[in-house]
Amino acid sequence: MHCCQYYMATGDGDPSFTVDVPQFTFGAGCLAESGAHAKGLGLKRVALFTDPRVARLPHIDTVRKSLTSAGVDCAIYDEVTVEPTDASLKAAAKFASAGKFDGFVSVGGGSVMDTCKAANLYATYPADFLAYVNAPIGGGQPVPGP
């Protein structure tokens, strides 16, 4: 059990576990495949999320070109902030809502990914900003759909 060397069954529960993960692509050149993956999912218009620093790197242009070459319309949101605030998440959600996107792509670190996910959530299921945040800070409401 090389992959699970630190997992120890205690006798108090199940002796094994299962992790279902979504499909992901990893490796040199994978950004150039973004358009093919988006097209394969049937996407027509995507929001490409990043931060101002990463936006100046060639990675964003690689993804943008891949998407447009595959016939997928792409709008870039490059205003993600490190350690997002409620104001920055609300601005991203406003962009996502106005854009009428059917897909979301993020290129960057955790703040970019989290902002992209939150923008998708609030564009898809508009609600009070704290509605989906865990109690006691927020309402703790479950997401009403996929």
Side-chain angles (χ1 to χ4, degrees):
M1 293 222 301
H2 178 70
C3 70
C4 304
Q5 63 189 2
Y6 300 107
Y7 176 74
M8 299 276 216
T10 63
D12 296 335
D14 290 335
S16 63
F17 61 92
T18 301
V19 178
D20 291 325
V21 297
Q23 177 183 351
F24 66 93
T25 302
F26 177 82
C30 67
L31 293 179
E33 299 176 5
S34 301
H37 289 291
K39 187 175 182 177
L41 291 170
L43 301 179
K44 305 272 190 245
R45 179 167 166 73
V46 302
L48 174 54
F49 276 70
T50 192
D51 64 48
R53 185 174 179 168
V54 175
R56 294 189 304 266
L57 301 175
H59 310 310
I60 294 300
D61 200 42
T62 299
V63 173
R64 184 192 57 76
K65 285 179 182 177
S66 179
L67 290 165
T68 56
S69 293
V72 179
D73 186 31
C74 169
I76 298 174
Y77 184 80
D78 61 1
E79 299 173 32
V80 173
T81 60
V82 175
E83 300 302 332
T85 64
D86 57 343
S88 69
L89 292 171
K90 287 176 184 177
K94 184 176 179 180
F95 170 83
S97 294
K100 309 285 187 216
F101 302 106
D102 60 0
F104 292 81
V105 175
S106 64
V107 178
S111 294
V112 173
M113 290 185 283
D114 290 345
T115 299
C116 184
K117 290 184 289 184
N120 180 7
L121 171 63
Y122 285 99
T124 305
Y125 302 108
D128 178 66
F129 182 70
L130 294 177
Y132 304 119
V133 176
N134 289 339
I137 295 170
Q141 295 177 20
V143 176

